[in-house]
Amino acid sequence: MTNETKVKVVTADPSALGLFGLAMITLVASSQKLGITSGVSLILPWAIFLGATAQLFACINDFKHNNTFGATAFGGFAFFWSAIGFTWLIQNGVFGPELAAAADTKQLGFAYLGYLIFSLFMTIGAMETHKVLFIIFVLIDFLFIGLTLTSFGIAEHASHQFAAYSELSIAIVSFYGSAAAVLNTHFGRVFLPVGKPFGIFKK
């Protein structure tokens, strides 16, 4: 006869950290797009550690929660910021002047277009999560519309500004979403409301 002990491993909701990572990198990156700061040298660490690593950590832990939506969202954007970081390194000649000189920004346009498609169907999923997350995804849609148009040279100034203000707005709403995820859980009640799901696709 054997005695069996079952251990339940509880994993905390990682969305607060993921949203904080998103908020930080979009805040810092938007400062450059808005012309408040210049260059990307000191944006790179935030892209790598907050944009990429923090969201990848949230992604892995959302998989443990069997949360396909959250894991895909955080994972998708973690790898986005990793790719953006490498893009900046290439553009600044870190991997050699030949690679930097051969860069075709229209390729970025196609990458942004792909992420716009990704963001659009994730926006539909966010409708059945909560309204703050839905707003964040709508703003991300706007960001990728602006980035795509800018990279293809379409109304460059207007689309660049559109992307810049969309990115700043993402930061502001993501800070709120992160705070809500932390404080609502910490206090065990709705301290910062996030809005109920729309209830259109899930009854």
Side-chain angles (χ1 to χ4, degrees):
M1 183 176 178
T2 59
N3 293 323
E4 293 184 0
T5 301
K6 293 184 178 180
V7 178
K8 182 179 181 181
V9 178
V10 178
T11 304
D13 181 5
S15 62
L17 179 62
L19 287 172
F20 174 67
L22 176 63
M24 279 302 304
I25 182 52
T26 50
L27 178 65
V28 178
S30 66
S31 73
Q32 192 265 352
K33 288 185 180 66
L34 290 167
I36 300 170
T37 63
S38 61
V40 295
S41 300
L42 295 182
I43 302 177
L44 268 166
W46 303 93
I48 294 167
F49 292 105
L50 275 299
T53 308
Q55 291 195 82
L56 184 59
F57 182 85
C59 157
I60 292 167
N61 282 281
D62 257 340
F63 273 123
K64 293 178 181 178
H65 279 273
N66 194 29
N67 182 355
T68 301
F69 178 84
T72 305
F74 285 129
F77 290 116
F79 291 118
F80 170 81
W81 285 108
S82 295
I84 286 295
F86 269 88
T87 298
W88 289 337
L89 290 173
I90 291 168
Q91 290 175 331
N92 283 275
V94 173
F95 299 109
E98 293 83 4
L99 199 61
D104 183 350
T105 55
K106 288 187 176 64
Q107 291 173 345
L108 274 181
F110 283 103
Y112 293 143
L113 179 60
Y115 260 93
L116 173 59
I117 295 167
F118 170 70
S119 181
L120 285 169
F121 69 73
M122 294 301 283
T123 303
I124 297 172
M127 294 178 72
E128 300 304 340
T129 305
H130 57 70
K131 289 185 173 67
V132 168
L133 191 63
F134 172 73
I135 293 168
I136 290 171
F137 269 99
V138 170
L139 293 169
I140 291 172
D141 295 337
F142 291 162
L143 171 62
F144 283 121
I145 290 171
L147 292 174
T148 301
L149 293 174
T150 302
S151 297
F152 285 132
I154 302 170
E156 284 187 65
H157 178 71
S159 57
H160 180 83
Q161 289 295 105
F162 183 68
Y165 284 105
S166 297
E167 192 166 44
L168 178 60
S169 300
I170 291 167
I172 294 168
V173 182
S174 293
F175 273 122
Y176 180 88
S178 178
V182 172
L183 298 176
N184 291 352
T185 302
H186 187 63
F187 295 137
R189 64 182 179 87
V190 177
F191 186 80
L192 293 174
V194 293
K196 294 181 179 179
F198 284 87
I200 298 171
F201 306 108
K202 288 174 69 176
K203 302 296 184 182

